[in-house]
Structure formats: structure tokens, C-alpha cells
């Protein structure tokens, strides 16, 4: 049985539904700081939980007799940069609470890191699994600290912690809240609504990206992998493509020929994007637990536009 924090977020809302599908809806307890009109709340166990409340998290994990915790509640990069102290308190306070619950109750543990865990001094192309990590954002500091903390709970207490460094995630169910890569989601909504989009990230800015179905499969695959075969734990590089705004423009124009992309760069989020790698190397993930994404930019674009048309009632 699995407890998920941040279950109403961009990853959480799809991970919750996929896990309920796979393991049975009563075996996946979704939690978030607020309710919402979502199948996450209405189609299975849901509890209000502020991850900064250790006692409540421990109570829920005990009462539901979970054996796994998937900790997704966090502030993303752009929001964290605007509110660094709160980001530290939420991102690190929530994480250490979740790790303590996992230690106390001997739970398997998952939390995502990010390409944001790398910084300007990290090799930008084919960024290795093991390399220098000096991020220059609060979010990145949280992610590197989180990776170290999760590895510490594994080596010091034997908690079975596992994680992946996610790239920008593209999905149509729940929009991301306050990330730097959100442009890659907004562009699809705008393409269908207005046949045009103004990107806040500059042309030629490459970042790793992945379609949500590949991200959800990666989490399940990693968590089901044989722990003895893992040489790494927190956290594996995973990616499906390295793309810049103009790559999304070209892929969308194959479906919507008169789609137009323009630029109005937001210096705060551009600065964050420029500090991240252009493309990371996911070799260890494929070697150690068989990671293999299915969606490239064209296949993702086809599916994304198709699903969004339905969602937008077009
Ligand atoms: C963000 N979507 O933009 C998240 C993610 C790699 C990007 O960490 O902050």
C-alpha cells in the first residue's frame, strides 16, 4: 500500500491514477494540502496533509498500514526562486519528515530529483550520472540536498530510497505549477486555443524533456527493480529528448501548419534554464533498471494535441 504526498500536482495526479489502476484503488492513499474536484480525491482514499506536519504524516502511514511512500509535494524552480526561504522550509522540511516516516515504519521510498540538481559548472552536453553538482537556484540546492539526504537514509538506516532526476515533464491532465519548463506544456494549450504562443524561454535554449506517460512508467519500473542490482539510488538521470522552443514549434506545425511561435523572454526563468544542462545521459537508468522512454517529440506532440482537443472540447 502506497502513500503519495502532493497527489494533486502535475506528477502526483497521474501517478495516483496509474498506481490505483495497477495495484487497486484502495491500496493508494492520495494526500495533498488541499482538496480539489479530481478523481484523485473522488476515486480512492484521500487525506488532507501538509508535509510539514510530521505527526499527521506518521499517523496516516500507520493507520493505512502503507509499505511505500512516494513524496512529490514540493515547490518547483521558478516559484522557489521567488520565495527561497519558504521553498527551503517546504522542500526540505517535507522531505526529512517523509524520510523519517519511512525510517520509523521501514517503508520503501521514492522522491524525484530534477535536472535542476545540476548547475552552470556541470558539463552541459550528455551530462553524466556522476558529475559536479553546484546548482545556483534554491530549487537546485533543495534537489542536491535531497539526493544526498535520501542516499544518507539508505546508507545510514537502510531505508530503500530511490529517485530519478526528471527533465521537464509534459502532460495534459494537470498543468505544472511554477516551473521553468512549463512553457513546453503551455505551448500545446495555446496552439489549440490561439494557433500561437509567446515563449518566455529564448530560442535555442535546450533542456531535457519527457512525456508524462514515460515518467510514470519510469517511477513504477524503478520501484519494482531488484534493489541489489542498483549501483545508484538518488537519483538516476532520465530523459526522452533534448529540445528547444523551436523544436516544439516544428513538431506542432506538422499537426497545425499555421501555428506561430514568438518570444518574450522572462529573465528570471531564462537564467534558471541557462544554468541547467542541455542534454543529460540516462545510460545508468537503462543499464541498472531498464529505463526506456517511448515518446519522442513527434509522438508526444501527436498524443498531446489529440488528448488536449478532447479536454478542451474541440
Ligand atoms: C521545473 N518542471 O521547471 C520542473 C522541473 C526540470 C524541470 O524540475 O522546475
Amino acid at each position: 500500500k502506497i502513500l503519495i504526498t502532493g497527489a494533486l500536482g502535475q506528477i502526483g495526479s497521474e501517478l495516483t491514477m496509474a498506481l490505483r489502476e495497477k495495484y487497486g484503488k484502495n491500496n493508494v492513499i492520495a494526500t495533498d494540502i488541499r482538496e480539489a474536484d479530481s478523481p484523485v480525491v473522488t476515486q480512492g482514499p484521500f487525506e488532507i496533509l501538509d508535509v510539514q506536519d510530521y505527526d499527521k504524516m506518521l499517523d496516516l502511514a500507520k493507520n493505512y498500514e502503507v509499505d511505500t511512500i512516494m513524496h512529490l509535494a514540493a515547490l518547483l524552480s521558478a516559484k522557489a526562486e521567488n520565495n527561497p526561504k519558504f521553498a527551503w522550509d517546504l522542500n526540505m522540511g517535507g522531505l526529512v519528515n517523509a524520510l523519517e516516516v519511512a525510517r520509523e515504519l521501514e517503508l520503501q521510498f521514492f522522491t524525484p530529483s530534477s535536472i535542476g540538481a545540476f548547475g552552470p559548472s556541470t558539463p552541459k552536453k550528455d551530462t553524466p550520472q556522476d558529475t559536479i553538482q553546484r546548482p545556483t537556484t534554491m530549487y537546485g540546492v533543495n534537489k542536491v540536498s535531497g539526493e544526498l539526504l535520501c542516499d544518507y537514509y539508505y546508507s545510514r538506516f537502510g531505508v530503500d530510497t530511490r529517485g530519478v532526476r526528471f527533465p521537464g515533464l509534459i502532460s495534459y491532465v494537470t498543468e505544472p505549477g511554477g516551473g521553468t519548463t512549463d512553457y513546453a506544456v503551455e505551448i500545446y494549450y495555446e496552439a489549440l486555443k490561439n494557433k500561437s504562443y509567446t515563449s518566455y524561454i529564448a530560442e535555442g535554449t535546450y533542456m531535457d524533456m519527457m512525456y508524462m506517460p514515460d515518467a510514470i512508467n519510469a517511477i513504477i519500473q524503478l520501484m519494482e527493480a531488484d534493489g541489489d542490482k542498483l549501483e545508484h539510488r538518488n537519483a538516476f538521470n532520465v530523459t526522452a529528448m533534448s529540445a528547444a522552443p523551436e523544436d516544439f514549434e516544428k513538431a506542432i506545425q506538422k499537426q497545425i501548419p499555421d501555428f506561430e511561435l514568438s518570444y518574450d523572454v522572462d529573465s528570471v526563468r531564462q537564467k534558471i534554464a541557462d544554468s541547467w544542462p542541455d542534454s543529460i545521459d540516462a545510460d545508468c537508468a537503462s543499464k541498472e533498471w531498464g529505463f526506456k522512454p517511448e515518446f519522442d517529440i513527434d509522438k508526444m506532440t501527436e498524443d498531446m494535441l489529440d488528448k488536449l482537443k478532447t479536454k478542451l472540447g474541440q
Side-chain angles (χ1 to χ4, degrees):
K1 290 177 86 171
I2 302 166
L3 179 79
I4 298 182
T5 71
L8 288 168
Q10 186 196 13
I11 300 173
S13 54
E14 296 202 48
L15 182 62
T16 300
M17 304 314 286
L19 293 175
R20 283 178 174 162
E21 180 72 25
K22 187 174 174 65
Y23 301 120
K25 70 180 175 65
N26 291 324
N27 292 322
V28 182
I29 296 84
T31 73
D32 208 303
I33 194 154
R34 54 174 167 68
E35 289 239 350
D37 173 22
S38 152
V40 164
V41 176
T42 58
Q43 290 173 19
F46 178 84
E47 298 281 352
I48 296 281
L49 172 65
D50 176 345
V51 292
Q52 297 183 83
D53 180 348
Y54 171 76
D55 294 334
K56 177 139 189 208
M57 197 191 292
L58 184 65
D59 277 351
L60 288 176
K62 270 186 191 161
N63 300 341
Y64 280 97
E65 297 174 334
V66 302
D67 52 54
T68 303
I69 186 164
M70 295 193 174
H71 179 61
L72 302 171
L75 220 55
L76 294 184
S77 58
K79 267 205 182 137
E81 215 46 28
N82 286 332
N83 216 332
K85 173 64 174 67
F86 174 56
W88 176 268
D89 291 343
L90 171 58
N91 289 348
M92 304 320 293
L95 177 61
V96 75
N97 283 346
L99 283 165
E100 274 298 291
V101 168
R103 181 182 64 77
E104 182 79 23
L105 303 179
E106 297 181 351
L107 310 181
Q108 194 185 20
F109 186 90
F110 173 83
T111 199
S113 179
S114 158
I115 58 172
F118 297 117
S121 54
T122 303
K124 275 203 171 302
K125 297 204 182 333
D126 295 329
T127 305
Q129 175 65 42
D130 301 307
T131 185
I132 186 160
Q133 294 178 257
R134 303 286 297 179
T136 50
T137 63
M138 172 52 85
Y139 179 75
V141 168
N142 298 158
K143 288 303 177 187
V144 172
S145 312
E147 290 185 11
L148 296 172
L149 207 53
C150 292
D151 275 349
Y152 174 79
Y153 270 76
Y154 172 66
S155 54
R156 175 78 171 67
F157 300 116
V159 180
D160 182 1
T161 59
R162 306 180 188 196
V164 294
R165 290 173 187 144
F166 273 137
L169 297 180
I170 287 129
S171 62
Y172 56 84
V173 174
T174 305
E175 294 187 54
T180 299
T181 60
D182 298 5
Y183 88 88
V185 176
E186 293 168 3
I187 194 168
Y188 288 104
Y189 281 86
E190 294 305 308
L192 287 171
K193 286 179 189 163
N194 308 314
K195 288 190 191 279
S196 67
Y197 178 65
T198 303
S199 171
Y200 58 77
I201 292 292
E203 187 167 11
T205 308
Y206 281 88
M207 288 187 271
D208 286 280
M209 299 283 179
M210 183 150 64
Y211 199 30
M212 188 60 80
D214 281 331
I216 301 303
N217 287 338
I219 295 171
I220 294 170
Q221 226 174 333
L222 172 58
M223 293 302 274
E224 292 193 337
D226 175 358
D228 297 338
K229 292 211 175 62
L230 299 179
E231 291 158 47
H232 296 85
R233 285 195 163 253
N234 304 283
F236 286 91
N237 287 359
V238 290
T239 181
M241 64 194 87
S242 166
E246 61 271 28
D247 297 310
F248 288 96
E249 179 186 33
K250 278 193 218 78
I252 291 170
Q253 284 170 341
K254 288 178 187 167
Q255 312 290 327
I256 307 173
D258 48 348
F259 171 68
E260 285 182 8
L261 176 62
S262 55
Y263 296 89
D264 177 10
V265 176
D266 161 14
S267 56
V268 172
R269 286 182 285 186
Q270 185 62 39
K271 189 161 175 281
I272 296 172
D274 289 342
S275 74
W276 292 352
D278 294 349
S279 61
I280 64 175
D281 178 328
D283 242 13
C284 291
S286 45
K287 279 202 192 92
E288 297 178 38
W289 47 276
F291 169 66
K292 190 174 177 329
E294 282 169 41
F295 289 86
D296 63 11
I297 195 160
D298 286 328
K299 198 170 168 213
M300 169 175 74
T301 299
E302 262 174 68
D303 193 65
M304 186 69 180
L305 289 174
D306 183 39
K307 297 288 194 324
L308 272 184
K309 270 187 199 125
T310 310
K311 179 176 178 178
L312 299 173
Q314 288 193 3

